[in-house]
């Protein structure tokens, strides 16, 4: 199915927004799993995924996400101020920064 450029852009931005709203530790954890699974046999990949899920449940983000769900409220993700400051410092050197803001109330944290 061919999509128009406008539809494609809307879908790409929706995916980008979802990633930007995801806590950094979750994205990093997911990337690590993908790298660990690369070229692994299927049974090994399943075992790695199971271990990562168990480890993931220990993350602050998992605990906050579950609690927010139970309380029927938006999750309040911790801002990683030192990492945000480092990332924003790259802007002066001409590095494009996506999903970083000095405003800790933004979902991109």
């Amino acid at each position: 199915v061919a999509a128009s450029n406008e539809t494609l852009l809307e879908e790409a931005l929706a995916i980008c927004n979802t990633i930007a709203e995801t806590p950094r530790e979750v994205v990093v954890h997911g990337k690590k799993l993908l790298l660990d699974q690369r070229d692994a046999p299927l049974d090994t990949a399943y075992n790695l995924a199971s271990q990562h899920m168990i480890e993931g449940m220990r993350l602050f983000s998992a605990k906050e996400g579950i609690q927010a769900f139970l309380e029927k409220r938006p999750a309040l993700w911790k801002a990683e101020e030192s990492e945000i400051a480092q990332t924003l410092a790259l802007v002066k050197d001409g590095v494009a920064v996506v999903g970083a803001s000095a405003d800790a109330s933004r979902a991109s944290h």
Side-chain angles (χ1 to χ4, degrees):
V1 176
S4 70
N5 286 342
E6 186 175 311
T7 302
L8 184 60
L9 179 60
E10 288 173 10
E11 290 297 319
L13 289 174
I15 292 169
C16 290
N17 283 329
T18 299
I19 294 168
E21 292 171 355
T22 302
R24 183 181 178 280
E25 67 181 353
V26 173
V27 173
V28 169
H29 199 73
K31 285 182 179 180
K32 183 175 180 340
L33 172 59
L34 289 175
L35 290 173
D36 290 349
Q37 287 179 317
R38 186 176 23 181
D39 299 325
L42 187 59
D43 60 332
T44 303
Y46 274 119
N47 288 333
L48 287 168
S50 295
Q51 284 304 112
H52 274 261
M53 284 188 261
I54 291 167
E55 292 169 14
M57 291 304 295
R58 295 183 182 119
L59 298 175
F60 167 83
S61 301
K63 294 172 186 171
E64 170 57 18
I66 292 167
Q67 192 64 38
F69 174 79
L70 293 173
E71 295 174 4
K72 297 182 176 31
R73 63 168 173 81
L76 303 171
W77 309 122
K78 291 191 309 188
E80 298 157 338
E81 296 303 327
S82 64
E83 290 181 13
I84 294 166
Q86 288 173 339
T87 303
L88 290 174
L90 295 173
V91 174
K92 69 177 174 41
D93 296 326
V95 176
V97 179
V98 177
S101 167
D103 180 358
S105 68
R106 296 217 20 216
S108 62
H109 287 3

